[in-house]
Amino acid sequence: MTGIEELLLSRIRDVADYPEPGVMFKDITPLLADPAAFTALTDALAAIAADAGATKIVGLEARGFILGAPVAVRAGLGFIPVRKAGKLPGATLSQAYDLEYGSAEIEVHAEDLTAADRVLVVDDVLATGGTAEASIQLIRRAGAEVAGLAVLMELGFLGGRGRLEPVLAGAPLEALLKV
């Protein structure tokens, strides 16, 4: 395990039975509260953006906003929020997707992405991959290229990587931690 992995893991708290019995929630708020750990995380994700040749960062609601915005600033790139449907004013593109129990929809401002953009998607956790897959489809529908997906933590037992690798079509999927 590398030094950054140890630092990040040491700042993630396990919360048993949240939000429901049987779930072990990975709470990143202690990591966000520690300036050294948060800076290390931001720097690591900004390096991934640079390696991917990204021109914009997309952050997925809501914790992807918390991580993606400082990554964009550190990397000198624009930040684009992908929000739940109905949260953005003006013209939007939307993408519906299925959840374990039901469905959801995400949106992006139609004018925020162009064919000249290479977009790195940033989020806190890769679980089943449904939201990330929908965001990738949305980015492509906007005419931009997907430069990759970068997450703080991958929950490997939920199979999100297997779902996303074909959708990413060769773009990298980077997880700083795998649990």
Side-chain angles (χ1 to χ4, degrees):
M1 185 177 298
T2 67
I4 188 170
E5 289 173 330
E6 287 179 19
L7 174 62
L8 298 176
L9 275 174
S10 74
R11 301 305 189 275
I12 297 172
R13 177 177 55 178
D14 287 342
V15 180
D17 299 321
Y18 182 82
E20 59 186 53
V23 173
M24 181 63 72
F25 184 79
K26 300 292 188 181
D27 180 14
I28 68 166
T29 58
L31 186 156
L32 299 173
D34 180 327
F38 196 12
T39 298
L41 171 59
T42 300
D43 289 346
L45 292 172
I48 292 169
D51 290 345
T55 61
K56 298 244 174 94
I57 301 293
V58 155
L60 304 182
E61 189 165 341
R63 289 180 297 265
F65 296 174
I66 296 168
L67 302 184
V71 168
V73 169
R74 176 75 77 205
L77 306 175
F79 175 77
I80 310 298
V82 169
R83 305 238 24 214
K84 295 175 184 169
K87 301 289 186 179
L88 292 172
T92 61
L93 293 175
S94 64
Q95 181 69 45
Y97 62 102
D98 291 327
L99 298 167
E100 188 175 351
Y101 301 103
S103 62
E105 190 173 356
I106 55 174
E107 294 179 333
V108 68
H109 275 133
E111 71 275 5
D112 287 347
L113 295 171
T114 70
D117 288 319
R118 287 185 44 82
V119 181
L120 179 70
V121 178
V122 172
D123 206 5
D124 64 330
V125 174
L126 172 59
T128 63
T131 307
E133 180 179 18
S135 72
I136 291 165
Q137 293 168 347
L138 193 57
I139 291 163
R140 289 189 177 131
R141 284 187 42 233
E145 180 181 352
V146 175
L149 170 66
V151 297
L152 164 60
M153 184 174 12
E154 177 181 352
L155 306 179
F157 61 93
L158 292 175
R161 181 176 291 269
R163 176 181 187 165
L164 291 175
E165 284 180 336
V167 176
L168 283 164
L173 192 167
E174 301 285 342
L176 297 177
L177 302 172
K178 294 178 184 169
V179 295

